[in-house]
Amino acid sequence: MSSSSVLEEIRRAEEFLVVGKGVWRIDALDKVTGRARFTSDFVLKDALHVRLVKSPIPHGRIIEIDAERALGLGPVRVFTAADIPGENQVGYALPDQPLLPADKVRYVGEPVALVAAPDEDLAEKAAELVEVRYEELPAVFDPLEAMERSDVLVHEDRGTNIAEMTRVRKGNVERGFEESDVVVENTYRTGHQEHAPLETEGAVAIPDTQGGVTVIASIQYPHLCQRITARVLGLPHSMVRVIQPYVGGGFGGKDDMGPVVSAMAALVAFKTGKPAVLVYSRRDSFTSTCKRDPSVVRYKTGATRDGRLKAIEVQIILDSGAYANRGPYVLWRATMHAGGPYEVPNAKVDGFLVYTNKVFEGSFRGFGNPQVQFAAESQLDELAERLGMDPLEIRLKNLLRPGSRTITDQLLESSVGIYEAVKLLGEKTGFRAKWREYRRERAGRVRRGIGIACGYHGISTSRGVPDWSNATVILGRDGSVTVETGICEIGQGSWTAHAQIAAEVLGVPVERVKVVGGTSDAPDTGATHASRGSSIGGIGVYVAAKRLRERLAEAAARLLECDPSDVEIREGRAFRRDSPDDYVEWEELVQAAYSMGYEMSATGYFFLPKGKFDMERGLGYAYPAFSYIANVAEVEVDLETGKVRVVRVWPALAAGRILNPVLVEGQIEGAIAQGMGYALTEELKFEDGRMLNPNFTDYLIPTSLDVPEVEAPIYVEDLYEYGPFGAKGVGEMALIPTPAAIMNAVKNATGVRITEIPATPEKVYFHLKEAGVVAGE
Amino acid sequence: MLPEFEYHRPASLEEAVRLLSELGPDAKVIAGGTDLVVKMRAGLVSPRHVVDLSRLTEIRFIRDGGDRLKIGAGTTLWEIENSEDVARGVPVLREAVEEMASWHVKTTATIGGNLCNASPAADTAPPLMVHDATLVVVGPEGRREVPIGEFFTGPGQTVLGVGEILVEVVVPKMRQGQGAAFEKLTVREGALSIASAAALVEISGGRFVDARVALGAVAPTPIRALKVERALKGRPATREVLRSASREAKADIKPITDVRGSREYREEMSVVLVRRALERAVERAGGVWA
Amino acid sequence: MRAGGGGIVVRFTLNGREVEVTTRPNATLLDLLRNELKILSVRRGCETGECGMCTVLVDGLPVRSCLMLAPQVDGRSVTTVEGVGDPERLHPVQEAFVEAGAVQCGFCTPAMVLTAKALLDRDPNPDERTVREAILGVLCRCTGYAKIVRAVRLAAERVAGGVRE
């Protein structure tokens, strides 16, 4: 398929029947009736239940694992590193992470052994009786300290606690600051964030008759789980089948944890010949799964008197915890997005990923971007303040537009809708008037404020790393349509979007389309991450459906005695464009096509064209496309308690074609809630590496009474030439600017800049007190 | 996984007392289970016997006793929240219960359970303390009454002896001229209190004839703020008096630093919550600021 | 009554049908429903009574089944989402959840549907605040609750307006 023809077609199309409509989710009925099955529902007869034996110390050598007492309880099996038949390695970016450590533990909660027993209680009791002797090692918890130390190393063989360094060097920063009339410099800190999917991580593994294993698991990328599991078991990939059932929320965490739990359950199944069920307890889910990387971002921004950005100098330090996992990619993304969606002629960015003896970090909606956007967007408001401008004005002056270059010097030729989005958002919210009013008023013990923040997010993989889409579409003889994709349904609605794409292209009602996804039996479609599920994932569906559509048009032409180019297929009927009453029903058409010898299945593959990236200077083609977002948040701050209430949020999104507005709204509303939790209440507390609040009692995700009113989004449909119908990614977008929008509103309300999130009431209160806004009691 | 225990469901209060006396300290009482089951799962308690009081209708009631309201210990928080008698007679209790936990918890959690669990942060305690409630306890030795101020002896600890069951809370009703209010601070809706405060005042002739203040989550037990009270009683009901009296709260409390908040923050918030509770209590008492 | 480690017979009504089952005294209602009776719509989310995934209705009111001992349900009436409606006969709340886009990952959906039903059964026309208070005890990490609240109010309008078909 030539890409230009696709774009042409999209641009020509004036209306769609299915795409762009709030089509009901194809999985809704299963879910509202409770019939949807999740991983832990697949408990098979004779299954072994698996429990983790976890490290109680942050750093230490494993001297001995004594399972005698545990084994004495009854039919119990215990598995350690020594039992792994293949390669004991689950590291993603770097080969630094064992499935089960053989030599030493690096964080409190690290699984050191697996215990399996025929019933849950026995497995749990046995796990408590496995005795592990450690030689404790000095530990390091603060990334700033860890960077400097070489006497305490989380990974000795690396010789340093710095796992990765990144950089961007664009233009001449020194000159940029010299040319600046105003320079603002601050340090920003962000905390851990736990994904807290309501369904915890888990996997069920079933040995098959050929020596392989089938895994049913809560995942985001079946083929990655397949590869890692095969590696751990020492099997060819083809011997491992991975299938997702329904997944109770992912948010990135299950992209990273899916392979780990799959390999653990598979190990037990493989070694015992029995089905194995591993479901993390909520506590396990807190202590032993990846989190969003905490960060320290030092940020210096310079601008001229008229508000034009001249230079940024940024240092990003990400606390990776015990393992690198996705950290190098997270850091690169943070580095390349450090400028925000603005034209910055001179940029110097340095990134450091640092090991510490805490739970490891990993993928989480936004992937490094929320941390830097919090800093970048706070900086912009501080700059505006110094320049006597308002936050809207300074943004409109600097926002990226078609023809702009990013801080990696990537030219953005088209599909850059952020300027229009922010302009519309400013008008809709009456931002300027409110911002001035709240700033002027500042009286009483509850203060109101309004803030804006923008964000952009590269869709697909970064730095020219290959990305592709792949799917199969099969037409049954009864006219039913099956889409096979590796993309997972984790709540976002990608399968519904895929059904819409197939229905639109083929010309059938969406109810005829069934999506079989999230399985290694389908083509490898890449991971369901990076906001690529519906967008990049949908391209393969589009291409495959298009192929079938062409064949059907030929078949219809023969039945209707016309040229294929005169055939129209819509709403389940094929007809000649000039005589719609003379039609062939869909089922009849498909059967006829089968009889005429047309192949009624097709694969769709698309390799995304990408450019070059210079890793030394951090310059070049960073992403195939960017989605853009801006949020305005209105808050109330109780000065006497420091409590911030987010009253209302207005989002504006430029993510190309909106394939399904109901799904997109759902993503935006959910992301804003999650971003609000990140900004205000969600705080993991540690003492000597031990998590103090691994539970929902004290790790506080937003409830129905906390979330703000989210206004109907503004959409700027800045079509992307390779996206299905011009769609770009949506899933991560609205979280990214939410913390900054809230903190900018807090500043508007109180005059105080909060540079650290989560801004819990206590933190805000003491900041206000320090700033003299409240006297204290 | 819960520890293994024997389950007992006595058919009467009498049987319950006898059972608990026989079983001794190895037995724990369950009503709504919202505290006990959580503690058992966390391995904090492993009773060998669990005695279920959730079916004892004898201790599940809200009765009007003239100038007092009698609330059975087995009454659920949901029943209290929906009781007209409570709304009229002890509105500050209703206010506290409204802000507690979720509907799902309140349908099973009982007022007796909340008190006997003796969390320093138990939100029903401060309102009952400012009402000078009396707790009725039944045990092998018979029936006795304990002023609520003497009920708690430490975190998770009460004066209840072996075989004793809290059966009833007797609460003097609000009188004409009185006003009461409850305040609490949480990081998030439905979360446990960082600190809480209840206040009850009576104003006559522009002066505080009576003033009672109690706080939660800022000491080993819920406590009365006697220094605050002393700074109010007999003084004119002015904002200044109220403001300076509230500051006395710091001297009444002994907060700790924990995962929910630091000692310093709790100290300052105690003052804020006491002041806010007092302000609203004064307004509700029909008090005109002198 | 008393029962030790062996087992205890519990009789109760489950979705309108009488059930008699032997259970361990230290099993929770959640254990009983999921493990013994295979009611898989009742989900294990935290087991500390915080998340609400295990919500069931006992005598019409929402409770945390992870905090209730199995023997405590003896003689009472339990409703799970299976007893609310099925694909052929959806309850108005379920219809509204589908139509309003209130479903994402679906893990909290049965708990939300049950809570909404219990609310509408006692308050047919709740305002937004009342709906938000009612579902406070069920966490949702996907939706930000907006469409769930809308769905409950949509269901209320339908029931009150008699437009249910």
Side-chain angles (χ1 to χ4, degrees), chain A residues 121 124-125 445 638 640-641 643 681 685 693 697-698 700-701 703 705-706 761-762 765-766 769 776-777, chain B residues 1 4 185-189 191-192 247 250 258-262 264-265 268-269 271-272 275-276 279:
Chain A
D121 289 359
E124 199 165 318
K125 272 185 217 158
R445 69 187 185 193
D638 184 333
E640 291 182 345
T641 61
K643 200 161 171 172
T681 63
K685 295 194 174 177
N693 53 337
T697 311
D698 286 304
L700 300 169
I701 70 173
T703 70
L705 288 174
D706 299 286
E762 175 162 355
Y765 176 77
F766 284 115
K769 193 176 165 186
E777 301 296 341
Chain B
M1 181 183 64
E4 278 168 28
L185 180 64
T186 56
V187 169
R188 188 207 65 190
E189 293 286 341
L192 295 172
R247 291 202 190 98
K250 279 188 176 180
D258 65 12
V259 72
R260 265 157 240 153
S262 70
E264 295 77 9
Y265 186 55
E268 303 216 6
M269 291 308 104
V271 177
V272 172
R275 186 171 67 232
R276 287 183 176 185
E279 280 171 359

Side-chain angles (χ1 to χ4, degrees), chain B residues 4 8 25 31 34 38 43 58 65-66 73 102 137 141 163 165 177 180 204 206 213 232 235 238 243 249 286:
Chain B
E4 278 168 28
H8 308 262
T34 55
V38 175
E58 298 161 73
S102 61
V137 172
E141 313 296 322
I165 298 173
S204 178
V213 176
L232 291 168
R235 309 278 309 276
T238 65
R243 185 166 280 274

Side-chain angles (χ1 to χ4, degrees), chain A residues 336-415:
Chain A
M336 293 185 293
H337 286 82
Y342 305 101
E343 286 190 344
V344 185
N346 305 291
K348 178 173 182 249
V349 187
D350 287 285
F352 300 88
L353 180 74
V354 185
Y355 289 124
T356 59
N357 290 111
K358 298 200 297 283
V359 62
F360 63 104
E361 318 305 337
S363 310
F364 196 151
R365 197 181 215 165
F367 209 72
N369 201 356
Q371 292 93 319
V372 293
Q373 295 304 312
F374 170 55
E377 290 293 305
S378 299
Q379 282 290 101
L380 219 50
D381 268 36
E382 289 305 297
L383 209 55
E385 170 96 31
R386 292 275 300 278
L387 291 164
M389 298 175 99
D390 72 60
L392 192 60
E393 193 181 351
I394 197 164
R395 284 176 173 77
L396 289 170
K397 271 202 167 149
N398 293 288
L399 281 168
L400 295 168
R401 302 177 196 214
S404 294
R405 286 180 178 274
T406 67
I407 60 163
T408 71
D409 214 30
Q410 178 176 350
L411 175 65
L412 303 173
E413 289 176 46
S414 61
S415 188

Side-chain angles (χ1 to χ4, degrees), chain A residues 29-37 246, chain C residues 41 43 81-82 87:
Chain A
L29 204 59
D30 275 355
K31 290 176 175 177
V32 297
T33 54
R35 296 188 310 170
R37 291 290 166 257
Y246 282 116
Chain C
S41 66
R43 295 180 178 132
V81 78
E82 286 81 357

Side-chain angles (χ1 to χ4, degrees), chain A residues 265-567:
Chain A
L267 175 66
V268 174
F270 187 74
K271 300 287 282 188
T272 61
K274 287 190 174 167
V277 182
L278 168 65
V279 178
Y280 275 23
S281 68
R282 181 56 61 188
R283 193 183 176 86
D284 293 337
S285 187
F286 270 97
T287 61
S288 311
T289 72
C290 64
K291 310 280 173 269
R292 189 190 298 288
D293 306 56
S295 74
V296 179
V297 179
R298 300 184 175 118
Y299 208 121
K300 183 174 164 188
T301 315
T304 54
R305 202 161 289 120
D306 65 350
R308 297 240 169 240
L309 292 172
K310 292 302 287 183
I312 58 167
E313 186 172 351
V314 187
Q315 188 193 46
I316 303 162
I317 297 161
L318 296 184
D319 178 350
S320 192
Y323 296 103
N325 187 23
R326 311 285 170 120
Y329 300 102
V330 175
L331 182 66
W332 265 112
R333 188 174 273 272
T335 303
M336 293 185 293
H337 286 82
Y342 305 101
E343 286 190 344
V344 185
N346 305 291
K348 178 173 182 249
V349 187
D350 287 285
F352 300 88
L353 180 74
V354 185
Y355 289 124
T356 59
N357 290 111
K358 298 200 297 283
V359 62
F360 63 104
E361 318 305 337
S363 310
F364 196 151
R365 197 181 215 165
F367 209 72
N369 201 356
Q371 292 93 319
V372 293
Q373 295 304 312
F374 170 55
E377 290 293 305
S378 299
Q379 282 290 101
L380 219 50
D381 268 36
E382 289 305 297
L383 209 55
E385 170 96 31
R386 292 275 300 278
L387 291 164
M389 298 175 99
D390 72 60
L392 192 60
E393 193 181 351
I394 197 164
R395 284 176 173 77
L396 289 170
K397 271 202 167 149
N398 293 288
L399 281 168
L400 295 168
R401 302 177 196 214
S404 294
R405 286 180 178 274
T406 67
I407 60 163
T408 71
D409 214 30
Q410 178 176 350
L411 175 65
L412 303 173
E413 289 176 46
S414 61
S415 188
V416 188
I418 181 69
Y419 180 82
E420 198 187 337
V422 171
K423 214 162 164 309
L424 291 170
L425 186 61
E427 288 159 14
K428 182 179 178 180
T429 56
F431 183 85
R432 281 202 173 100
K434 282 187 182 166
W435 185 82
R436 292 207 179 104
E437 184 196 327
Y438 296 150
R439 191 181 149 89
R440 211 174 33 239
E441 303 240 314
R442 286 194 191 153
R445 69 187 185 193
V446 177
R447 304 261 170 96
R448 203 164 252 254
I450 194 166
I452 184 170
C454 305
Y456 70 146
H457 198 68
I459 303 308
S460 159
T461 46
S462 57
R463 293 171 290 142
V465 172
D467 197 8
W468 71 94
S469 184
N470 201 358
T472 305
V473 179
I474 302 160
L475 301 187
R477 284 180 186 273
D478 62 348
S480 60
V481 182
T482 305
V483 172
E484 292 179 347
T485 173
I487 294 297
C488 293
E489 177 55 65
I490 56 174
Q492 83 283 39
S494 283
W495 290 356
T496 301
H498 289 175
Q500 285 180 267
I501 292 166
E504 185 73 48
V505 174
L506 291 169
V508 291
V510 73
E511 294 75 30
R512 312 238 30 176
V513 185
K514 177 179 169 62
V515 179
V516 176
T519 164
S520 60
D521 294 344
D524 184 344
T525 319
T528 305
H529 66 197
S531 298
R532 68 188 287 290
S534 301
S535 57
I536 307 293
I539 304 173
V541 180
Y542 183 93
V543 173
K546 197 95 177 69
R547 294 213 164 109
L548 290 174
R549 161 101 185 200
E550 276 158 24
R551 290 172 204 162
L552 288 168
E554 279 180 35
R558 284 162 67 177
L559 293 174
L560 296 165
E561 295 170 348
C562 66
D563 192 80
S565 63
D566 292 331
V567 172

Side-chain angles (χ1 to χ4, degrees), chain B residues 2-9 30-34 37-38 41 50 52 54-55 78 101-105 107-108 189, chain C residues 1-4 25-26 28 47-48 55 61-64 66-67 69 71-72 74 76 115 118-119 134 136-138:
Chain B
L2 298 180
E4 278 168 28
F5 52 76
E6 244 181 86
Y7 171 83
H8 308 262
R9 193 198 298 144
I30 190 168
T34 55
V37 175
V38 175
R41 204 184 310 274
V50 168
D52 182 5
S54 64
R55 299 301 175 86
W78 173 240
S102 61
W103 186 21
H104 301 61
V105 167
T107 51
T108 52
E189 293 286 341
Chain C
M1 77 182 290
R2 71 184 274 171
N26 64 339
T28 61
E47 294 194 291
T48 52
T55 297
L61 288 174
V63 307
R64 308 265 197 238
C66 75
L67 297 184
L69 298 179
Q72 291 189 289
D74 192 47
R76 306 181 74 173
T115 306
L119 172 67
L136 171 69
V138 185

